[in-house]
Amino acid sequence: MYYLKYFLLLILFIVISCDLPSESKIYHWAEHWIAVMDAHGQNVQYLHQASDYHTSSECLKGFYRDGALKILEMNYNTIKVMDANGENAITLKNTSAGISRCSVSSDGNYIVYSVSGNILKQATDGSQLVNLTEDTSYYDTDPQFSPISQEVVFVRRGTKNHYAAIMLLDENADQLTKLIDNTSGAVKNSQFSVPTFNRNATRIYYFVPGSKSLSGLYRINRDGSNNKLIYQVNPSASPIVVLSNGNIAIAPYGKLFVFDSTGKILADFSDRLNDDMDTPLCFNFSPDGSLTALTTSPPYNSHIKLINIKTKEIKDLGLGWAPSFLPDGRILFIAKRWFESKNQKDVNSD
């Protein structure tokens, strides 16, 4: 009887220690979703499952088309447009060739982007795809629409040499003007990246990367005159962001600067980007230019930081990636959304 008692206790212990049947398990997983929240980090709404982890710094944009707010989502392979609530999503482009910078026209009716060295223009409803550049002697990238018309500025590179130029295509797509190339002058033998219009399209900012003596932020008039280095820096992969008041911002190698049009530094956040913060991988400014939202870590563990331009106060808004401001001041971003289910088949394996 003594041994039977301990034998029964042993059996009970084994039963308790065993896993419960698989039907009783709760499976947890996370997905990346396009989401929106207010500027205080509250009232998060999940809109649409994201296409992937989004390593691009400019992958989400809000824009108006015919008075309705739309959302553009872009990554290396895919471009989508959807309603502001995430519904009626359509895929404009899906390619393994890779998509470079994507820009929306000022009226919201078109986007322009680059695939395999060609500049493509497409209606944001998915129709009217047009190849704007088809010269195989060149590799064309980094397109951007003018903020006031359908003119397009882009970078042209030679396919068989180190030639580079900044080109301007008129809004009828029938007149191509070279603003500057690297065959002579101060930018001889240099490369160019991310040409960006100012607010009234009278001049264009761009980067010259790589060269110790020539690299930096440049400014050139739309007629190709007055090309000037306004700030010497190795730009890394930073975009050029033009604020609503005409100032510009860049984020090279762990720093964040705001300049006026002459290159004078108006705000330097280098001292605020230390310790728990590294290079701003994604950053964007509020419609009034008073706040900047940024992320610094890879998508799987990044936090969205909100910086007050005037006070330099930093607020952590929680987990998120690739923030951008909608025209109404809310923050559009990639969020990690958690799910649970008793059925293992529901688990997203991605």
PDB file of all heavy atoms in Angstrom, residues 313-335:
ATOM      1  N   GLU A 313      12.608  68.713 -27.278  1.00  0.00           N
ATOM      2  CA  GLU A 313      12.088  67.654 -26.422  1.00  0.00           C
ATOM      3  C   GLU A 313      11.792  66.406 -27.258  1.00  0.00           C
ATOM      4  O   GLU A 313      11.230  66.499 -28.352  1.00  0.00           O
ATOM      5  CB  GLU A 313      10.811  68.125 -25.735  1.00  0.00           C
ATOM      6  CG  GLU A 313      10.148  67.060 -24.862  1.00  0.00           C
ATOM      7  CD  GLU A 313       8.805  67.491 -24.314  1.00  0.00           C
ATOM      8  OE1 GLU A 313       8.376  68.622 -24.649  1.00  0.00           O
ATOM      9  OE2 GLU A 313       8.193  66.715 -23.573  1.00  0.00           O
ATOM     10  N   ILE A 314      12.182  65.242 -26.719  1.00  0.00           N
ATOM     11  CA  ILE A 314      11.964  63.972 -27.408  1.00  0.00           C
ATOM     12  C   ILE A 314      10.926  63.153 -26.647  1.00  0.00           C
ATOM     13  O   ILE A 314      11.018  62.991 -25.434  1.00  0.00           O
ATOM     14  CB  ILE A 314      13.264  63.165 -27.540  1.00  0.00           C
ATOM     15  CG1 ILE A 314      14.244  63.886 -28.471  1.00  0.00           C
ATOM     16  CG2 ILE A 314      12.981  61.764 -28.091  1.00  0.00           C
ATOM     17  CD1 ILE A 314      15.556  63.147 -28.670  1.00  0.00           C
ATOM     18  N   LYS A 315       9.969  62.633 -27.380  1.00  0.00           N
ATOM     19  CA  LYS A 315       8.939  61.777 -26.796  1.00  0.00           C
ATOM     20  C   LYS A 315       8.930  60.444 -27.529  1.00  0.00           C
ATOM     21  O   LYS A 315       8.957  60.402 -28.760  1.00  0.00           O
ATOM     22  CB  LYS A 315       7.563  62.442 -26.910  1.00  0.00           C
ATOM     23  CG  LYS A 315       6.435  61.638 -26.283  1.00  0.00           C
ATOM     24  CD  LYS A 315       5.103  62.370 -26.406  1.00  0.00           C
ATOM     25  CE  LYS A 315       3.976  61.560 -25.783  1.00  0.00           C
ATOM     26  NZ  LYS A 315       2.662  62.274 -25.899  1.00  0.00           N
ATOM     27  N   ASP A 316       8.918  59.347 -26.775  1.00  0.00           N
ATOM     28  CA  ASP A 316       8.854  58.012 -27.347  1.00  0.00           C
ATOM     29  C   ASP A 316       7.385  57.632 -27.529  1.00  0.00           C
ATOM     30  O   ASP A 316       6.632  57.529 -26.567  1.00  0.00           O
ATOM     31  CB  ASP A 316       9.554  57.013 -26.423  1.00  0.00           C
ATOM     32  CG  ASP A 316       9.745  55.645 -27.074  1.00  0.00           C
ATOM     33  OD1 ASP A 316       8.918  55.271 -27.930  1.00  0.00           O
ATOM     34  OD2 ASP A 316      10.717  54.944 -26.722  1.00  0.00           O
ATOM     35  N   LEU A 317       6.988  57.394 -28.788  1.00  0.00           N
ATOM     36  CA  LEU A 317       5.599  57.052 -29.079  1.00  0.00           C
ATOM     37  C   LEU A 317       5.361  55.549 -29.126  1.00  0.00           C
ATOM     38  O   LEU A 317       4.244  55.112 -29.388  1.00  0.00           O
ATOM     39  CB  LEU A 317       5.167  57.675 -30.411  1.00  0.00           C
ATOM     40  CG  LEU A 317       5.256  59.204 -30.503  1.00  0.00           C
ATOM     41  CD1 LEU A 317       4.669  59.693 -31.821  1.00  0.00           C
ATOM     42  CD2 LEU A 317       4.546  59.870 -29.332  1.00  0.00           C
ATOM     43  N   GLY A 318       6.408  54.756 -28.879  1.00  0.00           N
ATOM     44  CA  GLY A 318       6.243  53.307 -28.851  1.00  0.00           C
ATOM     45  C   GLY A 318       6.744  52.639 -30.116  1.00  0.00           C
ATOM     46  O   GLY A 318       7.322  53.269 -30.996  1.00  0.00           O
ATOM     47  N   LEU A 319       6.512  51.340 -30.205  1.00  0.00           N
ATOM     48  CA  LEU A 319       6.999  50.552 -31.327  1.00  0.00           C
ATOM     49  C   LEU A 319       6.405  51.040 -32.638  1.00  0.00           C
ATOM     50  O   LEU A 319       5.209  51.315 -32.733  1.00  0.00           O
ATOM     51  CB  LEU A 319       6.648  49.073 -31.135  1.00  0.00           C
ATOM     52  CG  LEU A 319       7.466  48.303 -30.080  1.00  0.00           C
ATOM     53  CD1 LEU A 319       6.866  46.929 -29.866  1.00  0.00           C
ATOM     54  CD2 LEU A 319       8.917  48.188 -30.516  1.00  0.00           C
ATOM     55  N   GLY A 320       7.255  51.123 -33.651  1.00  0.00           N
ATOM     56  CA  GLY A 320       6.774  51.526 -34.966  1.00  0.00           C
ATOM     57  C   GLY A 320       7.924  51.801 -35.907  1.00  0.00           C
ATOM     58  O   GLY A 320       9.089  51.875 -35.497  1.00  0.00           O
ATOM     59  N   TRP A 321       7.609  51.967 -37.182  1.00  0.00           N
ATOM     60  CA  TRP A 321       8.636  52.125 -38.211  1.00  0.00           C
ATOM     61  C   TRP A 321       8.124  53.054 -39.315  1.00  0.00           C
ATOM     62  O   TRP A 321       6.930  53.122 -39.582  1.00  0.00           O
ATOM     63  CB  TRP A 321       8.976  50.753 -38.789  1.00  0.00           C
ATOM     64  CG  TRP A 321       9.911  50.776 -39.953  1.00  0.00           C
ATOM     65  CD1 TRP A 321       9.603  50.584 -41.269  1.00  0.00           C
ATOM     66  CD2 TRP A 321      11.322  51.005 -39.917  1.00  0.00           C
ATOM     67  NE1 TRP A 321      10.730  50.686 -42.049  1.00  0.00           N
ATOM     68  CE2 TRP A 321      11.803  50.938 -41.243  1.00  0.00           C
ATOM     69  CE3 TRP A 321      12.225  51.269 -38.887  1.00  0.00           C
ATOM     70  CZ2 TRP A 321      13.150  51.123 -41.562  1.00  0.00           C
ATOM     71  CZ3 TRP A 321      13.568  51.463 -39.209  1.00  0.00           C
ATOM     72  CH2 TRP A 321      14.016  51.377 -40.525  1.00  0.00           C
ATOM     73  N   ALA A 322       9.046  53.770 -39.942  1.00  0.00           N
ATOM     74  CA  ALA A 322       8.770  54.580 -41.134  1.00  0.00           C
ATOM     75  C   ALA A 322       7.625  55.573 -40.949  1.00  0.00           C
ATOM     76  O   ALA A 322       6.664  55.576 -41.715  1.00  0.00           O
ATOM     77  CB  ALA A 322       8.489  53.665 -42.336  1.00  0.00           C
ATOM     78  N   PRO A 323       7.691  56.451 -39.950  1.00  0.00           N
ATOM     79  CA  PRO A 323       6.590  57.399 -39.732  1.00  0.00           C
ATOM     80  C   PRO A 323       6.565  58.508 -40.781  1.00  0.00           C
ATOM     81  O   PRO A 323       7.602  58.970 -41.254  1.00  0.00           O
ATOM     82  CB  PRO A 323       6.909  57.972 -38.349  1.00  0.00           C
ATOM     83  CG  PRO A 323       8.410  57.917 -38.271  1.00  0.00           C
ATOM     84  CD  PRO A 323       8.789  56.647 -38.988  1.00  0.00           C
ATOM     85  N   SER A 324       5.375  58.920 -41.133  1.00  0.00           N
ATOM     86  CA  SER A 324       5.195  60.112 -41.961  1.00  0.00           C
ATOM     87  C   SER A 324       3.902  60.786 -41.511  1.00  0.00           C
ATOM     88  O   SER A 324       3.006  60.132 -40.982  1.00  0.00           O
ATOM     89  CB  SER A 324       5.125  59.773 -43.449  1.00  0.00           C
ATOM     90  OG  SER A 324       3.982  58.998 -43.735  1.00  0.00           O
ATOM     91  N   PHE A 325       3.832  62.082 -41.695  1.00  0.00           N
ATOM     92  CA  PHE A 325       2.651  62.824 -41.251  1.00  0.00           C
ATOM     93  C   PHE A 325       1.620  62.905 -42.370  1.00  0.00           C
ATOM     94  O   PHE A 325       1.952  63.226 -43.518  1.00  0.00           O
ATOM     95  CB  PHE A 325       3.039  64.236 -40.820  1.00  0.00           C
ATOM     96  CG  PHE A 325       3.672  64.304 -39.457  1.00  0.00           C
ATOM     97  CD1 PHE A 325       5.050  64.219 -39.315  1.00  0.00           C
ATOM     98  CD2 PHE A 325       2.895  64.443 -38.318  1.00  0.00           C
ATOM     99  CE1 PHE A 325       5.646  64.277 -38.064  1.00  0.00           C
ATOM    100  CE2 PHE A 325       3.468  64.505 -37.060  1.00  0.00           C
ATOM    101  CZ  PHE A 325       4.853  64.418 -36.936  1.00  0.00           C
ATOM    102  N   LEU A 326       0.382  62.625 -42.019  1.00  0.00           N
ATOM    103  CA  LEU A 326      -0.718  62.870 -42.940  1.00  0.00           C
ATOM    104  C   LEU A 326      -1.017  64.366 -42.978  1.00  0.00           C
ATOM    105  O   LEU A 326      -0.637  65.100 -42.061  1.00  0.00           O
ATOM    106  CB  LEU A 326      -1.953  62.094 -42.492  1.00  0.00           C
ATOM    107  CG  LEU A 326      -1.871  60.569 -42.613  1.00  0.00           C
ATOM    108  CD1 LEU A 326      -3.087  59.913 -41.978  1.00  0.00           C
ATOM    109  CD2 LEU A 326      -1.741  60.145 -44.068  1.00  0.00           C
ATOM    110  N   PRO A 327      -1.689  64.852 -44.007  1.00  0.00           N
ATOM    111  CA  PRO A 327      -1.996  66.285 -44.075  1.00  0.00           C
ATOM    112  C   PRO A 327      -2.782  66.807 -42.880  1.00  0.00           C
ATOM    113  O   PRO A 327      -2.715  67.996 -42.567  1.00  0.00           O
ATOM    114  CB  PRO A 327      -2.830  66.393 -45.368  1.00  0.00           C
ATOM    115  CG  PRO A 327      -2.380  65.239 -46.204  1.00  0.00           C
ATOM    116  CD  PRO A 327      -2.090  64.134 -45.237  1.00  0.00           C
ATOM    117  N   ASP A 328      -3.530  65.928 -42.190  1.00  0.00           N
ATOM    118  CA  ASP A 328      -4.304  66.373 -41.031  1.00  0.00           C
ATOM    119  C   ASP A 328      -3.514  66.310 -39.727  1.00  0.00           C
ATOM    120  O   ASP A 328      -4.054  66.567 -38.650  1.00  0.00           O
ATOM    121  CB  ASP A 328      -5.589  65.554 -40.903  1.00  0.00           C
ATOM    122  CG  ASP A 328      -5.338  64.063 -40.739  1.00  0.00           C
ATOM    123  OD1 ASP A 328      -4.177  63.666 -40.462  1.00  0.00           O
ATOM    124  OD2 ASP A 328      -6.290  63.272 -40.891  1.00  0.00           O
ATOM    125  N   GLY A 329      -2.207  65.976 -39.793  1.00  0.00           N
ATOM    126  CA  GLY A 329      -1.353  65.983 -38.609  1.00  0.00           C
ATOM    127  C   GLY A 329      -1.194  64.647 -37.926  1.00  0.00           C
ATOM    128  O   GLY A 329      -0.354  64.502 -37.037  1.00  0.00           O
ATOM    129  N   ARG A 330      -1.996  63.652 -38.292  1.00  0.00           N
ATOM    130  CA  ARG A 330      -1.817  62.317 -37.719  1.00  0.00           C
ATOM    131  C   ARG A 330      -0.571  61.657 -38.289  1.00  0.00           C
ATOM    132  O   ARG A 330      -0.053  62.061 -39.338  1.00  0.00           O
ATOM    133  CB  ARG A 330      -3.043  61.449 -37.993  1.00  0.00           C
ATOM    134  CG  ARG A 330      -4.303  61.874 -37.273  1.00  0.00           C
ATOM    135  CD  ARG A 330      -5.462  60.959 -37.633  1.00  0.00           C
ATOM    136  NE  ARG A 330      -5.758  61.003 -39.061  1.00  0.00           N
ATOM    137  CZ  ARG A 330      -6.468  60.073 -39.697  1.00  0.00           C
ATOM    138  NH1 ARG A 330      -6.937  59.025 -39.049  1.00  0.00           N
ATOM    139  NH2 ARG A 330      -6.705  60.209 -41.001  1.00  0.00           N
ATOM    140  N   ILE A 331      -0.067  60.638 -37.590  1.00  0.00           N
ATOM    141  CA  ILE A 331       1.161  59.963 -37.999  1.00  0.00           C
ATOM    142  C   ILE A 331       0.818  58.613 -38.617  1.00  0.00           C
ATOM    143  O   ILE A 331       0.159  57.771 -38.001  1.00  0.00           O
ATOM    144  CB  ILE A 331       2.107  59.764 -36.802  1.00  0.00           C
ATOM    145  CG1 ILE A 331       2.518  61.128 -36.237  1.00  0.00           C
ATOM    146  CG2 ILE A 331       3.347  58.980 -37.220  1.00  0.00           C
ATOM    147  CD1 ILE A 331       3.349  61.042 -34.973  1.00  0.00           C
ATOM    148  N   LEU A 332       1.270  58.421 -39.830  1.00  0.00           N
ATOM    149  CA  LEU A 332       1.128  57.168 -40.555  1.00  0.00           C
ATOM    150  C   LEU A 332       2.406  56.367 -40.343  1.00  0.00           C
ATOM    151  O   LEU A 332       3.510  56.919 -40.442  1.00  0.00           O
ATOM    152  CB  LEU A 332       0.920  57.478 -42.039  1.00  0.00           C
ATOM    153  CG  LEU A 332       0.623  56.347 -43.004  1.00  0.00           C
ATOM    154  CD1 LEU A 332      -0.742  55.721 -42.715  1.00  0.00           C
ATOM    155  CD2 LEU A 332       0.683  56.875 -44.442  1.00  0.00           C
ATOM    156  N   PHE A 333       2.299  55.083 -40.049  1.00  0.00           N
ATOM    157  CA  PHE A 333       3.508  54.316 -39.744  1.00  0.00           C
ATOM    158  C   PHE A 333       3.261  52.820 -39.927  1.00  0.00           C
ATOM    159  O   PHE A 333       2.123  52.382 -40.138  1.00  0.00           O
ATOM    160  CB  PHE A 333       3.974  54.601 -38.314  1.00  0.00           C
ATOM    161  CG  PHE A 333       3.043  54.108 -37.230  1.00  0.00           C
ATOM    162  CD1 PHE A 333       3.372  52.992 -36.463  1.00  0.00           C
ATOM    163  CD2 PHE A 333       1.848  54.752 -36.954  1.00  0.00           C
ATOM    164  CE1 PHE A 333       2.533  52.535 -35.457  1.00  0.00           C
ATOM    165  CE2 PHE A 333       1.005  54.307 -35.952  1.00  0.00           C
ATOM    166  CZ  PHE A 333       1.344  53.193 -35.204  1.00  0.00           C
ATOM    167  N   ILE A 334       4.342  52.043 -39.836  1.00  0.00           N
ATOM    168  CA  ILE A 334       4.264  50.581 -39.843  1.00  0.00           C
ATOM    169  C   ILE A 334       4.278  50.110 -38.400  1.00  0.00           C
ATOM    170  O   ILE A 334       5.207  50.418 -37.648  1.00  0.00           O
ATOM    171  CB  ILE A 334       5.427  49.945 -40.617  1.00  0.00           C
ATOM    172  CG1 ILE A 334       5.454  50.441 -42.071  1.00  0.00           C
ATOM    173  CG2 ILE A 334       5.321  48.422 -40.578  1.00  0.00           C
ATOM    174  CD1 ILE A 334       4.274  50.029 -42.892  1.00  0.00           C
ATOM    175  N   ALA A 335       3.248  49.378 -38.004  1.00  0.00           N
ATOM    176  CA  ALA A 335       3.108  48.911 -36.628  1.00  0.00           C
ATOM    177  C   ALA A 335       3.241  47.396 -36.573  1.00  0.00           C
ATOM    178  O   ALA A 335       2.954  46.693 -37.545  1.00  0.00           O
ATOM    179  CB  ALA A 335       1.750  49.330 -36.060  1.00  0.00           C
TER     180      ALA A 335
END
